[in-house]
Amino acid sequence: MVLESSLTFTVLRWSRWSARAGSGGLCRQCGPEGLQERQLEAPDLRHIPPLKRRRLSPLARAVFHTLNYCDPDAELPLVFSSAMGEINRTHGLLHQLAVAGDISPAAFSLSVHNAIAGLWSVQRNNTRPMQALAPRARSPVPALLEAIGQLHEGCDSVALVFAEEDYPDFYAPWLESPAGPSALALCLGSGERDAVARLRLQFAGGDSAPDSGGNAGALDRLLAGEPAVRIDEGGCSWMLEHVA
């Protein structure tokens, strides 16, 4: 017997940074003021003191740019989701370890999977709970379930961010690389007031093959206007859809 479940939630605002070929990127944001789109030479980090910006990798800069729109006061709990995280830092450290036999503790601390969430916490003085997840097949579902769970536990709003960067060439035979550092941040709520989207997450069975490519852009397509998207994790599938 297959048990079906359905969870409904509200997107209060969202922000997307997509790297552009060459330099800069495309920034798309949607909130009470409507959808806005602009080309930028770099993520907007004016809210971060210059000396602190130096520690931020290209991926962290994309995350901070999007989170600053979705959580400008840095007071919300955060769910960070990334399949590979700071993979370029990690790969560089592994190469250094193989060649030299030791690595910098400071460099290691910035390569771990919760490093970006930790930097956000420290640099924005946010003491709320934070989780860092590594989902299978680049699925957005684990982070959504965690955020929705926090809403059901009584949080008024929860910030979550999905982030990936381009993988080192070493992984090309096995993994399809994203096109440069990118991040999608959302502010979720449980009510309907001030919503830019009202969405439903529905369990859809358990016999599919994992689809990393389709899953990676599922939320983007939904926020762009598709009525529903399917997420296949391998052994478990979900439907994300707009609620009328």
Side-chain angles (χ1 to χ4, degrees), residues 32-70:
E33 70 281 4
L35 179 64
Q36 300 179 347
E37 184 174 305
R38 53 197 172 129
Q39 298 279 351
L40 296 175
E41 289 303 315
D44 185 354
L45 300 178
R46 287 175 293 178
H47 55 287
I48 303 295
L51 289 177
K52 293 185 176 182
R53 292 179 206 162
R54 297 174 57 187
R55 302 190 71 194
L56 301 182
S57 67
L59 183 62
R61 289 168 182 259
V63 168
F64 275 42
H65 172 90
T66 57
L67 275 179
N68 189 59
Y69 177 79
C70 291

Side-chain angles (χ1 to χ4, degrees), residues 3-9 145 148 152 199-204 238-239 241 243:
L3 297 178
E4 295 190 354
S5 60
S6 175
L7 296 168
T8 302
F9 59 97
L145 290 175
I148 295 168
H152 280 243
L199 305 178
R200 179 185 297 116
L201 178 63
Q202 176 82 33
F203 179 67
W238 304 80
M239 291 296 297
E241 59 187 3
V243 177

Side-chain angles (χ1 to χ4, degrees), residues 163-177:
E164 298 293 342
E165 65 179 356
D166 47 319
Y167 303 157
D169 292 340
F170 173 85
Y171 296 95
W174 305 282
L175 297 172
E176 181 180 352
S177 175

